[in-house]
Structures are given as C-alpha cells and as structure tokens.
Amino acid sequence: MTDSIVKKVITTELAPKAIGPYSAGIDAGEFVFSSGQLGLDPISGDLVAGGVEAETQQALTNLKNVLEAGGSGLERVVKTTVFLRDIADFAKMNAVYATFFTSEPPARSAFQVGALPKGAAVEIEAVALKK
C-alpha cells in the first residue's frame, strides 16, 4: 500500500526563519500544521517590543502568513495551542487573540510554561484545514 498523503514543508519570507531543526509549517493532505509562532519580526528575527500584547499580535500575524503560504488561513483553523510564560497574561493575550478570530473561533488550549525560546511571552501553534 502506498502512502497517498504527501508531506510538504511550508516556507514564507513573511514569517521568521526557524530557529532550530523544524519547519514553520507542514502541508499534510487536507491539513496544515504550524510550528509554534513567537512574536518575532520576520526581518530582524528579534522579539517585537511592547510586551505580551505586541508579541501576540506578531505571533498571530506570523501564524496567518505560514497558514496562507500552505494554502489555508486563519478562518480555516480548527485548533490552536497557546503557550504563555505567565498565565497572568492570559487576559491581555486573549484580547488580541479575539481580534484575529472574530467569528467561529477554533478550539483552543492555553498553558503556562516554564520558559519559551528567546525569552518570549507567548507562542501560538495551529492546525488548519486547507482551502
């Protein structure tokens, strides 16, 4: 039996380069899987200034760009996972998040973690349907 689903790496200049041995996203049949996106400026590779709100805005913009490069989009997201350095930042993150998912938001989990790469305040990953 042959494998009918082909795994394809997703790249885009509109999202930061991977900071390790992973891909920004994977196109796998009817789904697009994103790696966790930090609030990194795609050009400089540095965290954006402004705290968890600015980082959430940039992380979700990066996520949007990865999904679109893979033939999907935020409106097709079925599940996100949000990792927070401090769960006390949940309300601030949530307020920005709500501006990206204005109707029929995806399922979501949110966790406080011990630390995130580059000292980030937030990281967001997603699974989306392809268009």
Side-chain angles (χ1 to χ4, degrees):
M1 185 167 137
T2 61
D3 187 356
S4 61
I5 296 177
V6 177
K7 178 178 105 171
K8 180 181 165 193
V9 172
I10 299 167
T11 61
T12 177
E13 295 296 317
L14 300 176
K17 301 279 185 256
I19 57 176
Y22 62 89
S23 301
I26 295 291
D27 172 340
E30 296 180 27
F31 293 95
V32 173
F33 297 84
S34 80
S35 289
Q37 295 297 309
L38 301 173
L40 298 175
D41 177 276
I43 296 169
S44 71
D46 295 329
L47 281 172
V48 296
V52 70
E53 295 100 329
E55 287 186 40
T56 301
Q57 175 88 26
Q58 187 63 54
L60 287 167
T61 298
N62 294 339
L63 178 63
K64 173 184 164 296
N65 291 332
V66 169
L67 294 174
E68 288 176 356
S72 187
L74 291 176
E75 73 283 357
R76 306 283 293 164
V77 172
V78 295
K79 174 72 166 77
T80 62
T81 306
V82 177
F83 305 95
L84 291 162
R85 181 177 60 210
D86 185 348
I87 200 70
D89 287 334
F90 181 84
K92 292 176 183 176
M93 174 281 299
N94 200 50
V96 176
Y97 183 99
T99 68
F100 282 80
F101 297 102
T102 58
S103 67
E104 299 182 0
R108 179 180 77 186
S109 300
F111 303 94
Q112 176 174 310
V113 295
L116 291 167
K118 295 199 168 204
V122 64
E123 181 174 2
I124 304 172
E125 66 181 24
V127 177
L129 297 167
K130 286 186 66 182
K131 291 184 179 177

